[in-house]
Amino acid sequence: MSGLAEVKVKIPFGNKYLDAIFSVPEKKPTYGVILTHGAGGDMNFPHLVSLATYLASHGVLCLRFTCKGLNVAYRTKAFKAVLEYLKLCDDYKLSGVFLAGRSMGSRAAASVIRQLSQGDDDDDGFIQGLVCLSYPLHRPKLQSKLRDEDLLLITCPVLFISGSADEMCEKQLLEGVVRKMKAPKKIHWIDKANHGMAVKGRTADDVMEEVNAQVLSWLRENVQLQHK
């Protein structure tokens, strides 16, 4: 762990700045992950810090950022600004990036990928995939209205990590959406975990170890291995 560095940056967004932190691996990274939080909290939410540190300790650059706001369109714009910043960042010349988020942050990440793939400003293969931690497929007890429109239009690889007892992502409903998706996809269910990834009888660190290992092995499967 000693070789890891954390670098705080401010990323321009409209007439303000977003607070962000790079977790930088010891060796020059080839790939990066942009990571953001859910509706509450910020980039220092323990799950995000844990994942960022873990990925960086395994050679993946991680950039996590804070964007307060409950409007998905606003959060999506902020995510785009961070993506643009990383693409143009001279300090790290990356071959590709994965977009990742927890809960509402994963909705914003999905929306960015869908917009870029449909627009003229295609990202020329820079975006390698999407990681959804506790994707909020529906509001609690409102299973009739699914937030699946972006997911169905995405074509890059997608990893879902959700709790099997997530009150905002009923297991059968996510499995149904995933069957309809065009993209290569994988779901990893955390047994008995709720939306906050809490599991009775397991420590938060233990659950995060499972999450982190799943994310890393999926990233490794999905990067173009010739860059390794």
Side-chain angles (χ1 to χ4, degrees), residues 73-186:
Y74 177 76
R75 295 282 304 262
T76 301
K77 274 187 190 155
F79 213 126
K80 273 188 179 167
V82 177
L83 173 64
E84 205 48 40
Y85 173 87
L86 184 57
K87 262 180 110 165
L88 301 172
C89 187
D90 284 336
D91 294 336
Y92 313 104
K93 293 288 184 199
L94 299 175
S95 302
V97 72
F98 292 83
L99 305 193
R102 202 197 92 74
S103 191
M104 189 188 198
S106 64
R107 279 184 75 196
S111 196
V112 169
I113 292 176
R114 197 261 307 151
Q115 287 175 22
L116 291 178
S117 66
Q118 289 190 313
D120 302 324
D121 49 353
D122 191 20
D123 70 318
D124 43 305
F126 188 61
I127 296 175
Q128 300 285 311
L130 168 66
V131 178
C132 297
L133 306 175
S134 296
Y135 186 86
L137 187 59
H138 53 78
R139 292 175 190 271
K141 301 191 173 64
L142 242 184
Q143 289 89 333
S144 56
K145 196 170 181 326
L146 298 185
R147 298 156 168 163
D148 59 357
E149 44 305 303
D150 288 331
L151 299 177
L152 296 175
L153 294 167
I154 285 172
T155 54
C156 69
V158 184
L159 171 66
F160 295 94
I161 298 186
S162 285
S164 66
D166 187 336
E167 59 280 16
M168 297 180 74
C169 187
E170 201 174 286
K171 197 166 184 281
Q172 291 85 344
L173 293 177
L174 182 61
E175 284 169 347
V177 169
V178 161
R179 277 196 294 274
K180 290 190 281 186
M181 285 170 64
K182 299 192 274 278
K185 62 270 176 179
K186 179 183 178 184

Side-chain angles (χ1 to χ4, degrees), residues 6-65:
E6 287 223 319
V7 181
K8 290 183 178 179
V9 290
K10 290 199 173 285
I11 296 175
F13 176 49
N15 58 358
K16 59 174 89 171
Y17 290 88
L18 299 167
D19 286 318
I21 295 178
F22 277 107
S23 298
V24 186
E26 226 170 321
K27 292 192 178 132
K28 196 167 182 273
T30 320
Y31 286 93
V33 172
I34 302 175
L35 187 55
T36 197
H37 55 89
D42 57 23
M43 65 181 169
N44 292 319
F45 185 73
H47 292 184
L48 300 196
V49 177
S50 171
L51 180 58
T53 306
Y54 182 84
L55 291 177
S57 69
H58 289 83
V60 180
L61 180 76
C62 210
L63 174 58
R64 66 186 199 271
F65 71 95

